[in-house]
Amino acid sequence: MRLAHRAAAAVALALALPAPAAALDDGLARTPPMGWNPWNRFGCEADQRLVREVADAIVATGMRDAGYRQVNLDDCWMARARGPAGELRADPERFAAGIPELAAYLHARGLRLGLYTSLGSETCEGRPALAGHERADLRRMASWGMDYLKVDFCGANAGVRADPEPAYARVSELLRETGRPIVLSMCSWGVGRPWSWGPAIGHLWRVTGDIADDWDSVMRVAARARSRWAAAGPGGWNDPDMLQVGNGGMTAREDRAHFSLWAVMAAPLLAGNDPRRMTAATRRTLLNREVLAVDQDPEGAQGRRVRARNGLEVWLKPLRGSGGAVLLLNRSPARATLGVDLRRLGFPAATRYRVRNLWRHRTGRRGPILRKSVPAHGAALYRVRPLP
Ligand code: GLA
């Protein structure tokens, strides 16, 4: 597969690094947030015991040291009803020890606590949410030691649904008022074009509805994140939703392709599996430090798809320095050979390149033609640097 001239021109621009989006400059989320969230695997069943055990597993497996620091709660952590003074409370059965205790447990292990709420008066699961209690709820959660907040879109009234920006801006403002540094994750499912105002208000914004644990869903949400590349940069990220790696709906190969794509898109990496019970393949995927380094590259450029034909795709993510990550993705139902001429990807002209295969952990020096047979629903990911 050779790159057409027009595509090559677009790529040259991509490698020249886009002007950074006007993101918040509060020191938070300078690289895409990483951590874990129970929703994809456990839904409303998460409780304090699970979360503590997962936190222990995140430390024991090396996930924390690889960068997965956020341990987030999702819907259903709060009690079904507010307290007598209207105060937000944790679910008395599943989180009996309370959120401050959980925060202390996480902080003692070098992890960070994430909480969840919604813009309406109820969450998607009918639990109490922000509307009418914004300042009090946000203060209370901040005082418990919250480091990250996901704000969902359920229950939003018609005005907010028509234009979510002011509501999220108010949350951002009130979080700032608490004086505690808190990452703001805005979950309007792409409603209101959050990529256009998100960078000025929060640190990540969902671009789609929910991801499911299957290949088609993963490809669908990736396509929605893809076109928003220009909005991403240090401090603000497109969020194609939490990872499904290790949840069993996809093969290990599909999981690796999913993970490679998230890394190339500089997506937040919130594992959605059960870290207490990981197969060797899941571990190798989530803990692949070389792939994580692509996601976490300090330049913060979201990679772009530069070639697509018959389900065969080439993606490029510029990395700090003169290098880039090149992803060969085979979405077709059959094995295929993908090839690309590196000179046409906008790398500085060179006759030799250093090419590191990030899944096989092998480095080669080679000429400008990169060619690889990739199985169906598979991905090959490389870090490429021109040699002097
Ligand atoms: C919405 C969000 C999901 C999850 C659920 C919880 O669907 O998009 O990520 O938080 O609500 O109810």
Side-chain angles (χ1 to χ4, degrees):
M1 186 159 81
R2 309 202 84 196
L3 286 172
H5 269 298
R6 195 176 315 165
V11 180
L13 284 176
L15 209 67
L17 291 175
L24 286 179
D25 191 14
D26 56 9
L28 297 173
R30 303 309 294 169
T31 60
M34 289 175 63
W36 174 83
N37 177 305
W39 185 256
N40 283 351
R41 181 68 167 249
F42 300 98
C44 272
E45 301 305 310
D47 62 13
Q48 64 195 19
R49 175 155 160 232
L50 170 81
V51 178
R52 287 193 205 126
E53 286 179 8
V54 164
D56 292 346
I58 286 173
V59 175
T61 56
M63 283 178 72
R64 177 195 63 191
D65 293 341
Y68 296 90
R69 302 241 157 191
Q70 274 309 140
V71 173
N72 295 347
L73 304 184
D74 207 279
D75 208 341
C76 303
W77 67 262
M78 59 296 274
R80 288 181 187 281
R82 292 179 177 274
E87 73 277 18
L88 191 62
R89 301 180 298 186
D91 184 288
E93 272 130 48
R94 283 180 300 101
F95 290 94
I99 303 301
E101 186 276 348
L102 189 59
Y105 191 90
L106 297 175
H107 291 156
R109 285 158 183 77
L111 298 168
R112 298 158 45 91
L113 170 71
L115 292 177
Y116 164 99
T117 184
S118 192
L119 285 184
S121 54
E122 290 187 356
T123 70
C124 304
E125 294 290 334
R127 306 276 172 143
L130 279 185
H133 300 266
E134 288 85 352
R135 178 173 276 119
D137 282 7
L138 295 170
R139 271 199 191 159
R140 190 165 168 84
M141 292 188 282
S143 76
W144 288 340
M146 163 175 79
D147 306 297
Y148 179 115
L149 180 65
K150 170 174 168 181
V151 182
D152 213 336
F153 206 49
C154 279
N157 66 34
V160 173
R161 282 203 305 278
D163 181 14
E165 178 182 354
Y168 281 114
R170 171 136 174 88
V171 170
S172 172
E173 187 60 43
L174 291 170
L175 285 177
R176 224 183 335 267
E177 243 180 46
T178 70
R180 191 175 168 85
I182 297 167
V183 171
L184 174 57
S185 156
M186 299 173 286
C187 182
S188 76
W189 318 311
V191 174
R193 305 178 58 80
W195 43 86
S196 58
W197 41 263
I201 291 177
H203 305 94
L204 58 158
W205 49 88
R206 282 271 297 278
V207 292
T208 65
D210 293 3
I211 193 171
D213 187 15
D214 66 68
W215 176 256
D216 289 343
S217 169
V218 167
M219 291 301 119
R220 222 174 9 251
V221 300
R224 297 284 297 278
R226 174 167 55 83
S227 46
R228 309 301 168 199
W229 62 270
W237 311 97
N238 288 306
D239 178 7
D241 208 356
M242 302 168 289
L243 295 162
Q244 292 287 6
V245 172
N247 280 340
M250 291 181 281
T251 65
R253 177 176 291 139
E254 289 172 332
D255 274 355
R256 281 194 297 276
H258 165 29
F259 197 69
S260 302
L261 206 40
W262 262 233
V264 163
M265 293 196 299
L269 297 178
L270 292 163
N273 67 325
D274 183 351
R276 299 170 306 172
R277 295 183 186 87
M278 290 193 273
T279 63
T282 295
R283 256 178 215 252
R284 276 199 300 274
T285 300
L286 291 176
L287 285 161
N288 185 324
R289 297 255 187 170
E290 298 192 87
V291 177
L292 291 172
V294 169
D295 182 77
Q296 298 288 304
D297 182 75
E299 211 60 56
Q302 178 172 328
R304 296 163 69 179
R305 190 176 78 176
V306 295
R307 186 79 168 96
R309 196 169 61 201
N310 301 332
L312 307 180
E313 303 187 355
V314 178
W315 291 63
L316 174 70
K317 180 186 201 284
L319 301 173
R320 181 157 289 181
S322 58
V326 176
L327 172 70
L328 306 180
L329 175 68
N330 182 356
R331 297 175 58 172
S332 86
R335 178 177 279 277
T337 297
L338 282 90
V340 64
D341 183 339
L342 296 172
R343 290 169 302 193
R344 295 191 170 200
L345 286 187
F347 288 107
T351 48
R352 305 286 291 166
Y353 294 81
R354 181 183 180 277
V355 176
R356 171 91 173 151
N357 182 322
L358 304 187
W359 288 111
R360 303 213 167 205
H361 306 292
R362 274 194 227 128
T363 309
R365 283 156 192 271
R366 56 167 96 204
I369 308 297
L370 182 60
R371 200 185 298 283
K372 172 90 176 146
S373 165
V374 182
H377 296 188
L381 182 60
Y382 302 91
R383 183 183 272 262
V384 175
R385 187 156 54 77
L387 289 169

